[in-house]
Amino acid sequence: MSGACEHLALRESMIATARRMNASALNQGTSGNLSVRVEAGFLLTPTGMDYDSLVPEDLVLMRFDGRHEGRRSPSSEWQLHRDILAARPEVGAVLHAHSMFCTTLACLHRDIPAFHYMVSAAGGTDVRCAPYATFGTVELAAHVLAALEGRKACLMANHGMVAVGRDLSAAFKLAVEVETLAAMYWRALQVGEPVLLDGAEMARVLEKFKTYGQQPTPPSREA
Ligand SMILES: [Zn+2]
């Protein structure tokens, strides 16, 4: 079986992340999926499998032309993963989920506005909701790509959410953050109309976020 032992450590960390998606309630049933860029294309979770039973050989190696290798069929959202990874060279991992609060807002076709400064973690002043299209279609992938313009996460109308990152860990952390923001925004909406931060404040926050969590590089290591 070609490629089964290739990227073994990466496959194992994908399975660990998929299980963390269950533990963190990002996943509802087997609806979530995950991809990571590799030299030949990308590794993707298989369709309809319980993450608790996944072994490294179950992950599917996909090419950008849609061909796949391995003993399993790829997630039905392979087109979405393919199109994001093809269009966004800085993205190394894509996470898709039907998490409860992101999906609740997405069913109302609501963006997440600047109600909290952490919205900027997704790259801008809001988290957009992509218009609806049937799951697994090129149309859906195009809507999501447009909603991800200048962003690292978006909601998907009547469906769920997507978070991307330079690697698996970054995509997972952002997905948890966006789901938390969606839950807070939903709660605030139960009481009234949340007060939004203005453009000048969000510009300040976005500027701070460029260096947030980054350690300064020691001068001796600078190229
Ligand atoms: Zn889905």
Side-chain angles (χ1 to χ4, degrees):
M1 186 164 44
S2 99
C5 288
E6 210 182 351
H7 309 297
L8 183 60
L10 185 55
R11 286 167 185 260
E12 282 170 347
S13 81
M14 284 179 76
I15 292 171
T17 303
R19 289 178 184 154
R20 284 176 78 195
M21 287 169 71
N22 287 345
S24 65
L26 280 178
N27 272 347
Q28 305 295 321
T30 58
S31 58
N33 40 70
L34 200 57
S35 65
V36 176
R37 188 191 298 278
V38 294
E39 306 80 58
F42 56 99
L43 288 167
L44 179 64
T45 45
T47 187
M49 282 190 72
D50 190 336
Y51 288 159
D52 288 331
S53 64
L54 281 187
V55 294
E57 292 79 7
D58 289 327
L59 294 172
V60 183
L61 176 64
M62 292 213 62
R63 313 277 176 188
F64 280 99
D65 63 8
R67 285 180 300 144
H68 61 88
E69 290 175 21
R71 62 183 183 180
R72 303 291 181 192
S73 297
S75 158
S76 54
E77 289 298 356
W78 68 265
Q79 183 84 43
L80 179 75
H81 291 265
R82 192 215 83 97
D83 288 5
I84 294 170
L85 290 166
R88 298 276 295 262
E90 84 282 12
V91 170
V94 178
L95 184 157
H96 165 57
H98 299 180
S99 55
M100 185 61 73
F101 290 96
C102 283
T103 307
T104 300
L105 294 175
C107 292
L108 298 163
H109 292 209
R110 289 187 89 124
D111 299 340
I112 304 177
F115 81 103
H116 190 293
Y117 79 91
M118 281 300 285
V119 163
S120 57
T125 56
D126 58 7
V127 178
R128 303 183 191 105
C129 182
Y132 180 79
T134 310
F135 77 93
T137 60
V138 179
E139 290 74 21
L140 178 60
H143 287 330
V144 168
L145 259 183
L148 283 176
E149 180 79 44
R151 302 283 186 277
K152 292 181 281 189
C154 72
L155 309 182
M156 300 158 71
N158 309 93
H159 187 155
M161 62 92 77
V162 166
V164 304
R166 66 187 179 284
D167 57 26
L168 210 46
S169 164
F172 177 79
K173 279 184 197 155
L174 181 60
V176 170
E177 186 62 52
V178 173
E179 176 62 6
T180 303
L181 287 165
M184 290 171 177
Y185 184 51
W186 181 84
R187 280 173 169 83
L189 286 171
Q190 308 313 302
V191 182
E193 197 53 42
V195 177
L196 303 185
L197 298 171
D198 64 24
E201 177 56 17
M202 285 305 279
R204 250 191 312 274
V205 171
L206 282 161
E207 189 58 34
K208 285 185 76 123
F209 256 76
K210 287 182 184 169
T211 51
Y212 175 78
Q214 290 174 19
Q215 297 299 321
T217 309
S220 61
R221 290 208 185 165
E222 273 175 1

